[in-house]
Amino acid sequence: MAFHIYVERKRDSAYIYDRPLGTDGTVYDRWHAPAHRLGLRLLSEVYDNGLNVEGAELDELSDELNALETFWDKKFIRVGPISYRTVDIDMVWLKEESDPRIGYLREAIRIAQECDGSLRIF
């Protein structure tokens, strides 16, 4: 199963944004587990229930994304020009693999806010 990030425009229920978040295992390991560990209400729900946010919750999601990215930055050390290694044995993936997904989610938040839409992940 793969998770995607969607933005739906309210006025006509049209999806105007669609980008991948990751496969089942990726979303669990890189998003759900750290979000749950940090107590991030919205991001920790993605794996189990998906996510559907709009309005003020988009700001909350943005704040949670900042917290998750800060967590990731503390868990990885640079070992070369573009390589990182984990400093936490339970996180054995490379940080740069998730960077594009962070950008997708940030872009989706911005678009949903601009069009008064909802952001969905499922």
Side-chain angles (χ1 to χ4, degrees):
M1 178 173 141
F3 287 81
H4 278 254
I5 304 164
Y6 301 95
V7 174
E8 183 177 16
R9 195 171 36 217
K10 286 184 192 177
R11 71 171 185 244
D12 58 8
S13 298
Y15 285 117
I16 58 173
Y17 186 85
D18 175 4
R19 294 292 185 277
L21 182 63
T23 62
D24 186 59
T26 299
V27 169
Y28 184 85
D29 292 339
R30 301 178 192 180
W31 296 83
H32 172 78
H36 183 73
R37 187 173 171 180
L38 295 169
L40 303 177
R41 180 181 73 87
L42 298 172
L43 287 174
S44 65
E45 289 293 316
V46 169
Y47 182 78
D48 293 326
N49 303 314
L51 188 65
N52 188 6
V53 296
E54 58 187 46
E57 282 190 327
L58 291 166
D59 291 329
E60 183 180 348
L61 181 60
S62 182
D63 291 343
E64 287 189 8
L65 187 57
N66 291 338
L68 183 62
E69 190 169 22
T70 297
F71 172 80
W72 285 343
D73 287 343
K74 290 178 182 175
K75 292 292 179 186
F76 297 92
I77 56 173
R78 186 177 289 276
V79 293
I82 60 167
S83 297
Y84 294 81
R85 274 216 189 110
T86 182
V87 293
D88 189 341
I89 195 67
D90 66 346
M91 299 177 72
V92 293
W93 45 276
L94 298 176
K95 180 181 181 293
E96 65 266 17
E97 294 172 2
S98 292
D99 286 346
R101 305 308 199 257
I102 292 169
Y104 296 158
L105 191 49
R106 288 191 194 286
E107 184 176 31
I109 291 168
R110 180 187 56 77
I111 292 169
Q113 289 170 326
E114 287 176 359
C115 76
D116 191 31
S118 62
L119 185 151
R120 300 181 72 196
I121 299 175
F122 59 93

mmCIF file of all heavy atoms in Angstrom, residues 72-115:
data_model
loop_
_atom_site.group_PDB
_atom_site.id
_atom_site.type_symbol
_atom_site.label_atom_id
_atom_site.label_comp_id
_atom_site.label_asym_id
_atom_site.label_seq_id
_atom_site.Cartn_x
_atom_site.Cartn_y
_atom_site.Cartn_z
ATOM 1 N N TRP A 72 14.352 14.824 13.021
ATOM 2 C CA TRP A 72 15.189 14.146 12.032
ATOM 3 C C TRP A 72 16.586 14.765 11.991
ATOM 4 O O TRP A 72 17.579 14.061 11.910
ATOM 5 C CB TRP A 72 14.566 14.223 10.654
ATOM 6 C CG TRP A 72 13.401 13.318 10.432
ATOM 7 C CD1 TRP A 72 13.032 12.232 11.179
ATOM 8 C CD2 TRP A 72 12.448 13.422 9.395
ATOM 9 N NE1 TRP A 72 11.909 11.666 10.663
ATOM 10 C CE2 TRP A 72 11.517 12.370 9.560
ATOM 11 C CE3 TRP A 72 12.265 14.304 8.342
ATOM 12 C CZ2 TRP A 72 10.448 12.175 8.705
ATOM 13 C CZ3 TRP A 72 11.193 14.110 7.488
ATOM 14 C CH2 TRP A 72 10.299 13.061 7.669
ATOM 15 N N ASP A 73 16.648 16.085 12.018
ATOM 16 C CA ASP A 73 17.951 16.762 11.967
ATOM 17 C C ASP A 73 18.844 16.385 13.143
ATOM 18 O O ASP A 73 20.060 16.318 13.003
ATOM 19 C CB ASP A 73 17.770 18.282 11.923
ATOM 20 C CG ASP A 73 17.272 18.777 10.569
ATOM 21 O OD1 ASP A 73 17.368 18.020 9.579
ATOM 22 O OD2 ASP A 73 16.765 19.910 10.524
ATOM 23 N N LYS A 74 18.247 16.119 14.288
ATOM 24 C CA LYS A 74 19.023 15.731 15.462
ATOM 25 C C LYS A 74 19.445 14.265 15.423
ATOM 26 O O LYS A 74 20.377 13.878 16.115
ATOM 27 C CB LYS A 74 18.219 15.980 16.734
ATOM 28 C CG LYS A 74 18.045 17.442 17.043
ATOM 29 C CD LYS A 74 17.201 17.641 18.273
ATOM 30 C CE LYS A 74 17.007 19.122 18.545
ATOM 31 N NZ LYS A 74 16.102 19.348 19.671
ATOM 32 N N LYS A 75 18.764 13.454 14.630
ATOM 33 C CA LYS A 75 19.027 12.024 14.597
ATOM 34 C C LYS A 75 20.030 11.615 13.528
ATOM 35 O O LYS A 75 20.421 10.465 13.466
ATOM 36 C CB LYS A 75 17.726 11.233 14.369
ATOM 37 C CG LYS A 75 16.783 11.312 15.525
ATOM 38 C CD LYS A 75 17.363 10.590 16.714
ATOM 39 C CE LYS A 75 16.458 10.669 17.906
ATOM 40 N NZ LYS A 75 17.067 10.107 19.091
ATOM 41 N N PHE A 76 20.434 12.547 12.696
ATOM 42 C CA PHE A 76 21.323 12.212 11.600
ATOM 43 C C PHE A 76 22.576 13.072 11.629
ATOM 44 O O PHE A 76 22.526 14.232 12.011
ATOM 45 C CB PHE A 76 20.608 12.390 10.253
ATOM 46 C CG PHE A 76 19.459 11.466 10.105
ATOM 47 C CD1 PHE A 76 18.193 11.846 10.487
ATOM 48 C CD2 PHE A 76 19.646 10.186 9.630
ATOM 49 C CE1 PHE A 76 17.129 10.978 10.386
ATOM 50 C CE2 PHE A 76 18.592 9.307 9.527
ATOM 51 C CZ PHE A 76 17.336 9.710 9.909
ATOM 52 N N ILE A 77 23.664 12.483 11.215
ATOM 53 C CA ILE A 77 24.915 13.226 11.106
ATOM 54 C C ILE A 77 25.403 13.156 9.667
ATOM 55 O O ILE A 77 25.205 12.157 8.980
ATOM 56 C CB ILE A 77 25.992 12.659 12.065
ATOM 57 C CG1 ILE A 77 26.215 11.167 11.821
ATOM 58 C CG2 ILE A 77 25.618 12.908 13.509
ATOM 59 C CD1 ILE A 77 27.364 10.569 12.597
ATOM 60 N N ARG A 78 26.007 14.215 9.205
ATOM 61 C CA ARG A 78 26.535 14.253 7.841
ATOM 62 C C ARG A 78 27.838 13.460 7.796
ATOM 63 O O ARG A 78 28.719 13.665 8.609
ATOM 64 C CB ARG A 78 26.780 15.694 7.405
ATOM 65 C CG ARG A 78 27.190 15.818 5.944
ATOM 66 C CD ARG A 78 27.350 17.266 5.540
ATOM 67 N NE ARG A 78 26.094 17.963 5.454
ATOM 68 C CZ ARG A 78 25.298 17.951 4.398
ATOM 69 N NH1 ARG A 78 25.619 17.228 3.349
ATOM 70 N NH2 ARG A 78 24.180 18.633 4.386
ATOM 71 N N VAL A 79 27.911 12.538 6.808
ATOM 72 C CA VAL A 79 29.129 11.728 6.664
ATOM 73 C C VAL A 79 29.787 11.930 5.305
ATOM 74 O O VAL A 79 30.748 11.278 4.982
ATOM 75 C CB VAL A 79 28.841 10.221 6.892
ATOM 76 C CG1 VAL A 79 28.452 9.979 8.326
ATOM 77 C CG2 VAL A 79 27.792 9.702 5.925
ATOM 78 N N GLY A 80 29.287 12.823 4.527
ATOM 79 C CA GLY A 80 29.848 13.117 3.217
ATOM 80 C C GLY A 80 29.102 14.291 2.621
ATOM 81 O O GLY A 80 28.247 14.877 3.268
ATOM 82 N N PRO A 81 29.395 14.623 1.383
ATOM 83 C CA PRO A 81 28.771 15.784 0.767
ATOM 84 C C PRO A 81 27.244 15.728 0.766
ATOM 85 O O PRO A 81 26.592 16.727 0.988
ATOM 86 C CB PRO A 81 29.311 15.787 -0.658
ATOM 87 C CG PRO A 81 30.479 14.891 -0.648
ATOM 88 C CD PRO A 81 30.339 13.961 0.508
ATOM 89 N N ILE A 82 26.666 14.543 0.512
ATOM 90 C CA ILE A 82 25.214 14.435 0.491
ATOM 91 C C ILE A 82 24.710 13.256 1.310
ATOM 92 O O ILE A 82 23.554 12.900 1.226
ATOM 93 C CB ILE A 82 24.679 14.313 -0.951
ATOM 94 C CG1 ILE A 82 25.257 13.083 -1.639
ATOM 95 C CG2 ILE A 82 24.923 15.575 -1.737
ATOM 96 C CD1 ILE A 82 24.571 12.712 -2.939
ATOM 97 N N SER A 83 25.550 12.647 2.095
ATOM 98 C CA SER A 83 25.147 11.466 2.857
ATOM 99 C C SER A 83 24.996 11.769 4.333
ATOM 100 O O SER A 83 25.720 12.579 4.892
ATOM 101 C CB SER A 83 26.184 10.348 2.690
ATOM 102 O OG SER A 83 26.261 9.948 1.358
ATOM 103 N N TYR A 84 24.059 11.077 4.935
ATOM 104 C CA TYR A 84 23.831 11.172 6.369
ATOM 105 C C TYR A 84 23.819 9.762 6.928
ATOM 106 O O TYR A 84 23.476 8.817 6.239
ATOM 107 C CB TYR A 84 22.471 11.807 6.680
ATOM 108 C CG TYR A 84 22.351 13.247 6.277
ATOM 109 C CD1 TYR A 84 22.071 13.599 4.964
ATOM 110 C CD2 TYR A 84 22.505 14.258 7.207
ATOM 111 C CE1 TYR A 84 21.945 14.923 4.591
ATOM 112 C CE2 TYR A 84 22.377 15.587 6.844
ATOM 113 C CZ TYR A 84 22.094 15.913 5.534
ATOM 114 O OH TYR A 84 21.969 17.219 5.170
ATOM 115 N N ARG A 85 24.178 9.624 8.171
ATOM 116 C CA ARG A 85 24.029 8.356 8.869
ATOM 117 C C ARG A 85 23.236 8.589 10.119
ATOM 118 O O ARG A 85 23.350 9.620 10.759
ATOM 119 C CB ARG A 85 25.387 7.776 9.256
ATOM 120 C CG ARG A 85 25.954 6.974 8.155
ATOM 121 C CD ARG A 85 26.718 5.770 8.653
ATOM 122 N NE ARG A 85 27.360 5.241 7.476
ATOM 123 C CZ ARG A 85 28.636 5.278 7.253
ATOM 124 N NH1 ARG A 85 29.459 5.729 8.153
ATOM 125 N NH2 ARG A 85 29.124 4.822 6.127
ATOM 126 N N THR A 86 22.468 7.600 10.473
ATOM 127 C CA THR A 86 21.672 7.709 11.681
ATOM 128 C C THR A 86 22.557 7.625 12.919
ATOM 129 O O THR A 86 23.570 6.953 12.924
ATOM 130 C CB THR A 86 20.601 6.610 11.722
ATOM 131 O OG1 THR A 86 19.824 6.791 12.889
ATOM 132 C CG2 THR A 86 21.193 5.228 11.738
ATOM 133 N N VAL A 87 22.165 8.324 13.947
ATOM 134 C CA VAL A 87 22.833 8.200 15.231
ATOM 135 C C VAL A 87 21.900 7.480 16.210
ATOM 136 O O VAL A 87 22.162 7.397 17.381
ATOM 137 C CB VAL A 87 23.251 9.577 15.813
ATOM 138 C CG1 VAL A 87 24.340 10.178 14.943
ATOM 139 C CG2 VAL A 87 22.071 10.520 15.956
ATOM 140 N N ASP A 88 20.804 6.964 15.673
ATOM 141 C CA ASP A 88 19.816 6.237 16.462
ATOM 142 C C ASP A 88 19.630 4.879 15.799
ATOM 143 O O ASP A 88 19.190 4.786 14.665
ATOM 144 C CB ASP A 88 18.508 7.013 16.478
ATOM 145 C CG ASP A 88 17.486 6.448 17.438
ATOM 146 O OD1 ASP A 88 17.620 5.275 17.830
ATOM 147 O OD2 ASP A 88 16.550 7.183 17.796
ATOM 148 N N ILE A 89 19.951 3.811 16.494
ATOM 149 C CA ILE A 89 19.973 2.481 15.898
ATOM 150 C C ILE A 89 18.618 2.040 15.350
ATOM 151 O O ILE A 89 18.545 1.247 14.433
ATOM 152 C CB ILE A 89 20.529 1.438 16.915
ATOM 153 C CG1 ILE A 89 20.898 0.141 16.210
ATOM 154 C CG2 ILE A 89 19.540 1.189 18.026
ATOM 155 C CD1 ILE A 89 22.054 0.256 15.282
ATOM 156 N N ASP A 90 17.514 2.563 15.879
ATOM 157 C CA ASP A 90 16.210 2.141 15.388
ATOM 158 C C ASP A 90 15.758 2.899 14.137
ATOM 159 O O ASP A 90 14.685 2.666 13.618
ATOM 160 C CB ASP A 90 15.141 2.220 16.480
ATOM 161 C CG ASP A 90 14.855 3.639 16.933
ATOM 162 O OD1 ASP A 90 15.634 4.539 16.609
ATOM 163 O OD2 ASP A 90 13.843 3.822 17.636
ATOM 164 N N MET A 91 16.585 3.810 13.649
ATOM 165 C CA MET A 91 16.256 4.547 12.428
ATOM 166 C C MET A 91 17.398 4.347 11.448
ATOM 167 O O MET A 91 18.417 4.997 11.531
ATOM 168 C CB MET A 91 16.051 6.026 12.741
ATOM 169 C CG MET A 91 14.916 6.266 13.716
ATOM 170 S SD MET A 91 14.749 7.994 14.139
ATOM 171 C CE MET A 91 14.079 8.621 12.615
ATOM 172 N N VAL A 92 17.213 3.415 10.518
ATOM 173 C CA VAL A 92 18.316 2.987 9.664
ATOM 174 C C VAL A 92 18.144 3.440 8.216
ATOM 175 O O VAL A 92 18.540 2.766 7.307
ATOM 176 C CB VAL A 92 18.485 1.449 9.731
ATOM 177 C CG1 VAL A 92 18.946 1.026 11.097
ATOM 178 C CG2 VAL A 92 17.192 0.746 9.347
ATOM 179 N N TRP A 93 17.539 4.554 7.999
ATOM 180 C CA TRP A 93 17.344 5.070 6.655
ATOM 181 C C TRP A 93 18.076 6.394 6.503
ATOM 182 O O TRP A 93 18.477 7.008 7.477
ATOM 183 C CB TRP A 93 15.863 5.217 6.352
ATOM 184 C CG TRP A 93 15.083 5.846 7.450
ATOM 185 C CD1 TRP A 93 14.567 5.229 8.555
ATOM 186 C CD2 TRP A 93 14.757 7.231 7.595
ATOM 187 N NE1 TRP A 93 13.943 6.140 9.365
ATOM 188 C CE2 TRP A 93 14.030 7.372 8.798
ATOM 189 C CE3 TRP A 93 15.006 8.344 6.821
ATOM 190 C CZ2 TRP A 93 13.558 8.592 9.229
ATOM 191 C CZ3 TRP A 93 14.524 9.554 7.263
ATOM 192 C CH2 TRP A 93 13.808 9.664 8.447
ATOM 193 N N LEU A 94 18.210 6.824 5.282
ATOM 194 C CA LEU A 94 18.935 8.054 4.999
ATOM 195 C C LEU A 94 17.984 9.249 4.982
ATOM 196 O O LEU A 94 16.909 9.187 4.410
ATOM 197 C CB LEU A 94 19.649 7.954 3.652
ATOM 198 C CG LEU A 94 20.699 6.853 3.560
ATOM 199 C CD1 LEU A 94 21.269 6.796 2.163
ATOM 200 C CD2 LEU A 94 21.804 7.079 4.578
ATOM 201 N N LYS A 95 18.403 10.328 5.594
ATOM 202 C CA LYS A 95 17.562 11.518 5.702
ATOM 203 C C LYS A 95 17.158 12.064 4.341
ATOM 204 O O LYS A 95 16.014 12.453 4.145
ATOM 205 C CB LYS A 95 18.277 12.596 6.504
ATOM 206 C CG LYS A 95 17.454 13.864 6.669
ATOM 207 C CD LYS A 95 18.211 14.902 7.452
ATOM 208 C CE LYS A 95 17.399 16.152 7.641
ATOM 209 N NZ LYS A 95 17.158 16.861 6.396
ATOM 210 N N GLU A 96 18.062 12.072 3.396
ATOM 211 C CA GLU A 96 17.727 12.701 2.113
ATOM 212 C C GLU A 96 16.606 11.989 1.382
ATOM 213 O O GLU A 96 15.958 12.558 0.524
ATOM 214 C CB GLU A 96 18.955 12.843 1.217
ATOM 215 C CG GLU A 96 19.578 11.544 0.767
ATOM 216 C CD GLU A 96 20.704 11.103 1.674
ATOM 217 O OE1 GLU A 96 20.818 11.580 2.804
ATOM 218 O OE2 GLU A 96 21.487 10.256 1.224
ATOM 219 N N GLU A 97 16.318 10.742 1.759
ATOM 220 C CA GLU A 97 15.202 10.034 1.139
ATOM 221 C C GLU A 97 13.866 10.655 1.504
ATOM 222 O O GLU A 97 12.900 10.532 0.771
ATOM 223 C CB GLU A 97 15.215 8.560 1.553
ATOM 224 C CG GLU A 97 16.402 7.795 1.028
ATOM 225 C CD GLU A 97 16.484 6.394 1.600
ATOM 226 O OE1 GLU A 97 15.598 6.001 2.367
ATOM 227 O OE2 GLU A 97 17.457 5.701 1.268
ATOM 228 N N SER A 98 13.766 11.310 2.644
ATOM 229 C CA SER A 98 12.505 11.905 3.078
ATOM 230 C C SER A 98 12.395 13.386 2.754
ATOM 231 O O SER A 98 11.310 13.938 2.797
ATOM 232 C CB SER A 98 12.323 11.700 4.585
ATOM 233 O OG SER A 98 12.130 10.341 4.851
ATOM 234 N N ASP A 99 13.486 14.044 2.425
ATOM 235 C CA ASP A 99 13.444 15.477 2.158
ATOM 236 C C ASP A 99 12.436 15.874 1.079
ATOM 237 O O ASP A 99 11.698 16.839 1.268
ATOM 238 C CB ASP A 99 14.828 16.007 1.821
ATOM 239 C CG ASP A 99 15.730 16.113 3.048
ATOM 240 O OD1 ASP A 99 15.211 16.040 4.185
ATOM 241 O OD2 ASP A 99 16.942 16.260 2.883
ATOM 242 N N PRO A 100 12.353 15.160 -0.068
ATOM 243 C CA PRO A 100 11.350 15.568 -1.061
ATOM 244 C C PRO A 100 9.930 15.458 -0.524
ATOM 245 O O PRO A 100 9.080 16.283 -0.839
ATOM 246 C CB PRO A 100 11.563 14.588 -2.218
ATOM 247 C CG PRO A 100 12.926 14.046 -2.028
ATOM 248 C CD PRO A 100 13.186 14.073 -0.558
ATOM 249 N N ARG A 101 9.662 14.458 0.308
ATOM 250 C CA ARG A 101 8.319 14.262 0.856
ATOM 251 C C ARG A 101 7.944 15.399 1.800
ATOM 252 O O ARG A 101 6.798 15.811 1.862
ATOM 253 C CB ARG A 101 8.205 12.926 1.589
ATOM 254 C CG ARG A 101 8.590 11.682 0.813
ATOM 255 C CD ARG A 101 7.885 11.576 -0.530
ATOM 256 N NE ARG A 101 7.907 10.234 -1.059
ATOM 257 C CZ ARG A 101 8.711 9.810 -2.024
ATOM 258 N NH1 ARG A 101 9.600 10.621 -2.541
ATOM 259 N NH2 ARG A 101 8.634 8.579 -2.487
ATOM 260 N N ILE A 102 8.920 15.909 2.525
ATOM 261 C CA ILE A 102 8.677 17.071 3.388
ATOM 262 C C ILE A 102 8.248 18.252 2.516
ATOM 263 O O ILE A 102 7.297 18.954 2.827
ATOM 264 C CB ILE A 102 9.935 17.442 4.196
ATOM 265 C CG1 ILE A 102 10.253 16.360 5.212
ATOM 266 C CG2 ILE A 102 9.760 18.796 4.892
ATOM 267 C CD1 ILE A 102 11.622 16.523 5.848
ATOM 268 N N GLY A 103 8.955 18.435 1.409
ATOM 269 C CA GLY A 103 8.605 19.507 0.481
ATOM 270 C C GLY A 103 7.215 19.332 -0.102
ATOM 271 O O GLY A 103 6.467 20.303 -0.230
ATOM 272 N N TYR A 104 6.852 18.098 -0.445
ATOM 273 C CA TYR A 104 5.503 17.835 -0.966
ATOM 274 C C TYR A 104 4.444 18.205 0.064
ATOM 275 O O TYR A 104 3.428 18.827 -0.264
ATOM 276 C CB TYR A 104 5.323 16.363 -1.327
ATOM 277 C CG TYR A 104 6.187 15.835 -2.442
ATOM 278 C CD1 TYR A 104 6.434 14.469 -2.549
ATOM 279 C CD2 TYR A 104 6.758 16.670 -3.398
ATOM 280 C CE1 TYR A 104 7.214 13.948 -3.568
ATOM 281 C CE2 TYR A 104 7.548 16.158 -4.415
ATOM 282 C CZ TYR A 104 7.767 14.796 -4.496
ATOM 283 O OH TYR A 104 8.547 14.275 -5.497
ATOM 284 N N LEU A 105 4.684 17.816 1.317
ATOM 285 C CA LEU A 105 3.693 18.101 2.354
ATOM 286 C C LEU A 105 3.607 19.603 2.631
ATOM 287 O O LEU A 105 2.512 20.151 2.782
ATOM 288 C CB LEU A 105 4.019 17.318 3.624
ATOM 289 C CG LEU A 105 2.953 17.299 4.705
ATOM 290 C CD1 LEU A 105 1.575 16.951 4.159
ATOM 291 C CD2 LEU A 105 3.341 16.324 5.808
ATOM 292 N N ARG A 106 4.739 20.284 2.640
ATOM 293 C CA ARG A 106 4.719 21.742 2.835
ATOM 294 C C ARG A 106 3.969 22.433 1.688
ATOM 295 O O ARG A 106 3.197 23.367 1.904
ATOM 296 C CB ARG A 106 6.130 22.296 2.934
ATOM 297 C CG ARG A 106 6.823 21.957 4.231
ATOM 298 C CD ARG A 106 8.107 22.756 4.398
ATOM 299 N NE ARG A 106 8.935 22.211 5.450
ATOM 300 C CZ ARG A 106 8.684 22.328 6.738
ATOM 301 N NH1 ARG A 106 7.603 22.972 7.136
ATOM 302 N NH2 ARG A 106 9.501 21.799 7.639
ATOM 303 N N GLU A 107 4.225 21.986 0.461
ATOM 304 C CA GLU A 107 3.533 22.562 -0.694
ATOM 305 C C GLU A 107 2.032 22.309 -0.618
ATOM 306 O O GLU A 107 1.223 23.190 -0.901
ATOM 307 C CB GLU A 107 4.119 21.971 -1.982
ATOM 308 C CG GLU A 107 3.548 22.559 -3.237
ATOM 309 C CD GLU A 107 4.219 22.017 -4.485
ATOM 310 O OE1 GLU A 107 4.668 20.847 -4.485
ATOM 311 O OE2 GLU A 107 4.273 22.766 -5.476
ATOM 312 N N ALA A 108 1.642 21.120 -0.211
ATOM 313 C CA ALA A 108 0.218 20.785 -0.084
ATOM 314 C C ALA A 108 -0.456 21.655 0.977
ATOM 315 O O ALA A 108 -1.590 22.114 0.776
ATOM 316 C CB ALA A 108 0.060 19.308 0.254
ATOM 317 N N ILE A 109 0.222 21.894 2.093
ATOM 318 C CA ILE A 109 -0.328 22.775 3.131
ATOM 319 C C ILE A 109 -0.560 24.163 2.559
ATOM 320 O O ILE A 109 -1.626 24.762 2.737
ATOM 321 C CB ILE A 109 0.615 22.822 4.358
ATOM 322 C CG1 ILE A 109 0.619 21.471 5.087
ATOM 323 C CG2 ILE A 109 0.206 23.955 5.307
ATOM 324 C CD1 ILE A 109 1.734 21.332 6.124
ATOM 325 N N ARG A 110 0.434 24.676 1.851
ATOM 326 C CA ARG A 110 0.317 26.024 1.266
ATOM 327 C C ARG A 110 -0.854 26.101 0.289
ATOM 328 O O ARG A 110 -1.667 27.027 0.325
ATOM 329 C CB ARG A 110 1.620 26.409 0.558
ATOM 330 C CG ARG A 110 1.591 27.796 -0.081
ATOM 331 C CD ARG A 110 2.828 28.066 -0.919
ATOM 332 N NE ARG A 110 3.079 27.087 -1.965
ATOM 333 C CZ ARG A 110 2.422 27.023 -3.123
ATOM 334 N NH1 ARG A 110 1.457 27.883 -3.393
ATOM 335 N NH2 ARG A 110 2.724 26.108 -4.032
ATOM 336 N N ILE A 111 -0.963 25.121 -0.589
ATOM 337 C CA ILE A 111 -2.040 25.115 -1.590
ATOM 338 C C ILE A 111 -3.403 25.018 -0.916
ATOM 339 O O ILE A 111 -4.340 25.736 -1.285
ATOM 340 C CB ILE A 111 -1.825 23.969 -2.601
ATOM 341 C CG1 ILE A 111 -0.593 24.264 -3.451
ATOM 342 C CG2 ILE A 111 -3.061 23.761 -3.467
ATOM 343 C CD1 ILE A 111 -0.126 23.092 -4.299
ATOM 344 N N ALA A 112 -3.525 24.138 0.075
ATOM 345 C CA ALA A 112 -4.808 23.997 0.784
ATOM 346 C C ALA A 112 -5.202 25.301 1.477
ATOM 347 O O ALA A 112 -6.384 25.675 1.480
ATOM 348 C CB ALA A 112 -4.720 22.853 1.792
ATOM 349 N N GLN A 113 -4.234 25.996 2.039
ATOM 350 C CA GLN A 113 -4.526 27.273 2.687
ATOM 351 C C GLN A 113 -4.950 28.322 1.663
ATOM 352 O O GLN A 113 -5.902 29.080 1.906
ATOM 353 C CB GLN A 113 -3.310 27.777 3.482
ATOM 354 C CG GLN A 113 -3.048 26.961 4.717
ATOM 355 C CD GLN A 113 -1.724 27.289 5.396
ATOM 356 O OE1 GLN A 113 -0.729 27.614 4.731
ATOM 357 N NE2 GLN A 113 -1.700 27.201 6.713
ATOM 358 N N GLU A 114 -4.276 28.356 0.529
ATOM 359 C CA GLU A 114 -4.588 29.371 -0.486
ATOM 360 C C GLU A 114 -5.954 29.169 -1.118
ATOM 361 O O GLU A 114 -6.610 30.135 -1.490
ATOM 362 C CB GLU A 114 -3.502 29.364 -1.573
ATOM 363 C CG GLU A 114 -2.199 29.957 -1.121
ATOM 364 C CD GLU A 114 -1.102 29.864 -2.170
ATOM 365 O OE1 GLU A 114 -1.357 29.307 -3.270
ATOM 366 O OE2 GLU A 114 0.012 30.332 -1.883
ATOM 367 N N CYS A 115 -6.382 27.920 -1.273
ATOM 368 C CA CYS A 115 -7.666 27.677 -1.958
ATOM 369 C C CYS A 115 -8.774 27.308 -0.990
ATOM 370 O O CYS A 115 -9.850 26.878 -1.417
ATOM 371 C CB CYS A 115 -7.504 26.593 -3.028
ATOM 372 S SG CYS A 115 -7.392 24.918 -2.390
#
